[in-house]
Amino acid sequence: DKAGHKHFMAKEITEQPAVIGDALGHYLSADGRDVILPGGDGLDFTQIDRMTMVACGTAYYACLTAKYWFEQLARLPVEVDIASEFRYREPPIPPRGVALFVSQSGETADTLAALRYCAGKAERIVSVVNVDESSIARESDLALPIHAGVEIGVASTKAFTCQLTVLLLLAIKAAKARGTLSEDAVADLLSKLRGLPATINIALEMDDDFKKAARRLAEADNALFLGRGLMYPLALEGALKLKEISYIHAEAYASGELKHGPIALIDKRMPVVVMAPRDALFDKTVSNMQEVMARDGKVILITDRRGAEAADGGIWRLLTLPEVDPVLSPILYAIPAQLLAYHTAVAKGTDVDQPRNLAKSVTVE
Ligand code: M6R
């Protein structure tokens, strides 16, 4: 049932405020000042020296985002890998380490194989899953459900933002346990998280703006996505979404890499989607944008009000999101990444929910 939407993907995009709210409801303590994991306090972050996160596709980008959170908030070193690389590299698993696997379906063959490789070697096997009864959930010491509800569109949307939500909650819990965030700082972040579904609703109401930008994107053969820090994994996710459903060739780079190669691609036919809230790294991103515009590249800037004010003229399309604490920005900026891809695909008339050559769950290598 598409609930009046043209595609399951559109329905699942609009469900995000509700399912994120639901996920928060499952993990927050009654007073809202603490994160409670299912099955009690089985994960002692004071006894852990490092974390290894493994996944595929969009779930891998959720892990890349979470690396920033665990390192910055909890000062916990994190290694992230693609499951198909990890499993055959047979990496040494250090003691006092947690191995964490993220998978919507819980059945992705490479992720499951990577989990089995770590079983008995890592201190704890933790998974972040949408399907509670899945193989990955069953074979973990601790399975953390994301409460996204059934996701039908092959392009993952609400599962991604719910994965991010649960991973951020886990990072906040780790930070509290390790004493790297004060109790008040934790309570403050958690209260901002509770306000996020309402902020996402505001972004969803900008649907027409994304549709207009997408109409132009649909004319392109190639697109580049740029982001720094927490926005770098989001740029990767935006490029993957666009490729999957609109079949436009898209690549993502950390903005600082522009000069090291991809700038050679910029000409007047190259749209460049820049994801950049006004955070500590914003000025550096502005200078990357100027380099793109000086070569006639078409910049689509996704930012907030202060970013829009600070960005110079010459921007092709400006999309202004509500302001959020920079820590939460990946969850909000997932919305424009999804809506740009969605409307581009609709404009091109592709099969949004069942893109060619793709399966919802990749249970073979
Ligand atoms: O079920 P999983 O989360 O393990 O699936 C991982 C990837 O196959 C999946 O995220 C894929 O990249 C999606 N089609 C992305 O939209």
Side-chain angles (χ1 to χ4, degrees):
D1 176 18
K2 295 180 192 148
H5 293 277
K6 208 164 150 199
H7 301 99
F8 281 109
M9 185 180 177
K11 172 179 174 260
E12 289 160 2
I13 289 173
T14 56
E15 278 171 356
Q16 290 176 108
V19 290
I20 291 170
D22 193 29
L24 291 171
H26 278 89
Y27 283 92
L28 292 183
S29 64
D31 66 1
R33 290 177 65 88
D34 225 333
V35 178
I36 314 276
L37 301 184
D41 251 7
L43 199 55
D44 183 355
F45 279 103
T46 63
Q47 300 303 311
I48 289 161
D49 293 336
R50 68 178 302 115
M51 188 140 87
T52 304
M53 303 180 73
V54 181
C56 302
T58 285
Y60 169 69
Y61 298 145
C63 295
L64 280 184
T65 311
K67 175 183 169 79
Y68 287 81
W69 285 329
F70 279 101
E71 293 191 347
Q72 284 173 4
L73 301 176
R75 309 305 302 159
L76 184 65
V78 175
E79 180 206 356
V80 183
D81 211 345
I82 295 165
S84 56
E85 286 299 311
F86 180 88
R87 63 180 288 197
Y88 293 115
R89 209 175 62 245
E90 302 190 348
I93 305 294
R96 287 169 61 95
V98 161
L100 191 146
F101 303 86
V102 180
S103 174
Q104 187 284 128
S105 62
E107 301 295 346
T108 298
D110 283 321
T111 310
L112 182 58
L115 181 152
R116 288 180 176 154
Y117 171 77
C118 290
K121 298 189 189 81
E123 202 85 18
R124 297 298 298 277
I125 307 282
V126 179
S127 60
V128 172
V129 288
N130 198 28
V131 182
D132 304 1
E133 307 299 308
S134 59
S135 308
I136 288 175
R138 269 187 279 110
E139 296 189 28
S140 307
D141 300 322
L142 175 66
L144 303 175
I146 60 169
H147 301 286
V150 178
E151 189 180 65
I152 292 173
V154 166
S156 185
T157 53
K158 62 175 181 170
F160 178 62
T161 48
C162 286
Q163 285 161 355
L164 290 179
T165 302
V166 171
L167 289 167
L168 176 54
L169 289 168
L170 200 59
I172 293 173
K173 187 179 176 64
K176 187 171 182 183
R178 293 163 67 82
T180 50
L181 276 186
S182 70
E183 291 203 1
D184 284 346
V186 165
D188 179 55
L189 262 184
L190 293 179
S191 122
K192 286 176 176 157
L193 248 180
R194 275 202 310 277
L196 193 59
T199 314
I200 292 176
N201 262 322
I202 301 174
L204 289 171
E205 281 162 15
M206 295 171 56
D207 195 49
D208 259 353
D209 302 335
F210 299 119
K211 199 187 275 178
K212 280 188 202 128
R215 243 179 253 141
R216 304 302 298 273
L217 204 52
E219 293 161 10
D221 295 321
N222 301 282
L224 212 56
F225 284 69
L226 299 177
R228 270 179 196 270
L230 278 166
M231 285 299 117
Y232 170 46
L234 252 292
L236 289 162
E237 169 64 2
L240 177 66
K241 283 292 89 99
L242 191 68
K243 274 184 275 220
E244 280 190 294
I245 59 172
S246 78
Y247 314 142
I248 291 174
H249 169 233
E251 281 193 73
Y253 280 91
S255 309
E257 278 290 292
L258 190 65
K259 278 197 181 72
H260 301 282
I263 198 163
L265 295 169
I266 308 288
D267 63 14
K268 64 178 185 326
R269 284 167 310 153
M270 180 65 92
V272 181
V273 180
V274 180
M275 315 190 78
R278 177 115 205 222
D279 57 14
L281 302 173
F282 185 77
D283 292 344
K284 294 189 189 299
T285 304
V286 168
S287 78
N288 295 134
M289 267 178 350
Q290 282 161 346
E291 287 158 5
V292 169
M293 293 186 301
R295 288 156 186 88
D296 292 329
K298 303 273 186 291
V299 172
I300 300 177
L301 173 62
I302 305 173
T303 184
D304 49 26
R305 186 183 48 78
R306 291 192 308 133
E309 280 165 14
D312 286 340
I315 287 160
W316 193 46
R317 287 280 176 276
L318 182 64
L319 296 160
T320 311
L321 294 178
E323 272 171 56
V324 281
D325 187 299
V327 171
L328 313 186
S329 57
I331 308 179
L332 179 65
Y333 280 67
I335 308 299
Q338 298 164 354
L339 285 174
L340 265 186
Y342 174 73
H343 288 301
T344 305
V346 171
K348 292 196 71 177
T350 53
D351 188 344
V352 171
D353 285 332
Q354 291 287 334
R356 67 186 184 202
N357 310 338
L358 293 176
K360 180 66 186 161
S361 175
V362 184
T363 52
V364 289
E365 275 191 67

